[in-house]
Amino acid sequence: MPRSPAATSALPLLLLLVRALALASARPPPGPDYLRRSWLRLLVEGEGCAPCRLEECAAPRGCLAGRVRDACGCCWECANLEGQLCDLDPSAHFYGRCGEQLECRLDAGGDLSRGEVPEPLCACRSQRPLCGSDGRTYAQICRLQEAAGAQPDANLTVAHPGPCESEPQIVSQPHDVWNVTGQDVIFGCEVFAYPMASIEWRKDGMDIQLPGDDPHISVQFRGGPQRFQVTGWLQIQALRPSDEGTYRCFARNALGQVEAPASLTVLTPDQLNSTGIPQLWSLNVLREEETESQEGEDYY
Ligand SMILES: *[C@@H]1O[C@H](CO)[C@@H](O)[C@H](O)[C@H]1NC(C)=O
Ligand SMILES: *[C@@H]1O[C@H](CO)[C@@H](O)[C@H](O)[C@H]1NC(C)=O
Ligand SMILES: *[C@@H]1O[C@H](CO)[C@@H](O)[C@H](O)[C@H]1NC(C)=O
């Protein structure tokens, strides 16, 4: 019986497909480096561990979390970083091992109620801040190790536990603002310092620390939002034209002082109208619509 042309041409195609599949399974799929390594590990393990010949090992480079031995306990390979997947079972060697100062933990941060499966991730053993030999503060030892791994020539080490003592640094400075008379404005100033800083506000050309005795001005101060930070606010209520000027946030501790200026522009409604700023036109339109709908409920 003669074969149909379709069947004859399908046979080599099928063979090609089978070969392509075989090739694909022998090669690690593309993806992040550590996932590629995971698949390579599976392949190597499938063949069992050969006698260890260190001279045949590839030298891993740029290992930010340090180096660990491979699944066969032979060659060095890069350890997994904080936040990367890892094997909860120490005898498994799929995702790989976490670096020094890290441990493999089930991540409870995910939204389990939405059916997310907790993943084992490398997490830092310590959450204590440290001062590096480069004079920078690191949130914890794992951050310092990553920095050290990224620049091996810098010989970065731990100078002492706790943050580096430093003069204040302004993390978020007050922004220039403008508004119309009668409105309120707020300036904010976020400062990192160790020892902790104090914040004060002054207006250029005035000799006093705000708020002084002005009931329209108030000053607030609280810790945070991050560790070793403080935040200060200056609020000016019911703006008057005389409030216009430059305000400065001063942050001070035993090691020094920094300042950040911000200007306040106060417009009268007439001045505002003559600028013709579209955003405020729409604001006026909104106000008019409000009054209209209040006046005539039966308008519709
Ligand atoms: C780091 O240490 C090495 C060896 O001790 C030294 O040769 C090199 O100059 C050091 N680098 C820095 C930036 O201090
Ligand atoms: C002016 O102040 C009001 C509140 O007092 C605020 O809603 C508005 O966004 C401010 N306008 C500008 C341009 O900052
Ligand atoms: C703004 O200007 C327009 C015309 O330029 C005028 O009709 C309107 O009444 C003014 N509004 C205010 C609040 O002054």
Side-chain angles (χ1 to χ4, degrees):
M1 200 174 98
R3 280 190 187 162
S4 79
T8 31
S9 60
L11 192 66
L13 223 136
L14 199 74
L15 278 175
L16 255 175
L17 198 73
V18 168
R19 279 183 60 193
L21 276 174
L23 265 176
S25 64
R27 233 179 253 161
D33 208 39
Y34 69 96
L35 267 186
R36 283 181 61 85
R37 278 193 279 126
S38 307
W39 290 104
L40 275 173
R41 261 182 222 117
L42 264 194
L43 288 177
V44 169
E45 251 172 55
E47 292 160 12
C49 290
C52 181
R53 279 194 285 273
L54 273 174
E55 65 277 9
E56 284 174 15
C57 294
R61 282 170 191 280
C63 296
L64 295 187
R67 300 180 308 169
V68 289
R69 296 283 189 187
D70 66 9
C72 293
C74 177
C75 299
W76 289 109
E77 60 179 19
C78 285
N80 291 354
L81 285 169
E82 190 173 19
Q84 284 185 340
L85 288 164
C86 49
D87 301 307
L88 261 189
D89 171 5
S91 66
H93 291 289
F94 183 67
Y95 292 120
R97 297 191 191 138
C98 301
E100 243 182 276
Q101 312 288 351
L102 291 160
E103 63 188 358
C104 194
R105 265 191 238 148
L106 271 187
D107 175 31
D111 192 350
L112 301 187
S113 62
R114 286 214 230 134
E116 278 182 31
V117 180
E119 288 179 323
L121 300 176
C122 297
C124 199
R125 287 180 202 273
S126 157
Q127 294 301 327
R128 294 206 189 96
L130 304 156
C131 179
S133 54
D134 57 355
R136 283 167 181 264
T137 299
Y138 292 86
Q140 19 97 332
I141 182 72
C142 302
R143 286 289 133 77
L144 187 140
Q145 282 189 333
E146 279 175 34
Q151 291 173 296
D153 297 339
N155 302 336
L156 179 58
T157 55
V158 178
H160 61 79
C164 304
E165 299 209 336
S166 75
E167 65 178 29
Q169 293 154 36
I170 294 185
V171 182
S172 167
Q173 59 178 55
H175 301 294
D176 294 350
V177 294
W178 64 270
N179 216 321
V180 189
T181 48
Q183 300 288 349
D184 304 345
V185 294
I186 294 183
F187 291 108
C189 190
E190 237 173 83
V191 177
F192 171 90
Y194 188 79
M196 299 295 280
S198 64
I199 292 180
E200 64 184 52
W201 295 89
R202 287 173 186 273
K203 185 180 180 187
D204 281 12
M206 279 175 70
D207 224 14
I208 53 154
Q209 182 185 331
L210 297 173
D213 61 357
D214 190 335
H216 302 284
I217 296 184
S218 56
V219 165
Q220 280 197 47
F221 188 62
R222 68 136 210 247
Q226 306 283 323
R227 292 188 75 188
F228 310 109
Q229 285 186 4
V230 286
T231 303
W233 292 273
L234 173 72
Q235 182 180 40
I236 307 171
Q237 286 176 295
L239 285 178
R240 291 166 298 186
S242 60
D243 290 322
E244 190 162 287
T246 301
Y247 292 81
R248 270 168 216 278
C249 151
F250 289 89
R252 180 181 300 145
N253 72 0
L255 288 121
Q257 172 177 302
V258 284
E259 59 176 83
S263 71
L264 169 63
T265 307
V266 181
L267 299 179
T268 62
D270 284 345
Q271 284 171 326
L272 179 66
N273 205 10
S274 62
T275 60
I277 292 163
Q279 185 187 343
L280 286 134
W281 276 112
S282 61
L283 207 142
N284 280 341
V285 169
L286 265 176
R287 282 220 192 95
E288 274 162 27
E289 274 175 4
E290 264 171 33
T291 38
E292 258 170 33
S293 63
Q294 272 164 10
E295 275 163 12
E297 292 287 348
D298 53 354
Y299 182 78
Y300 304 105

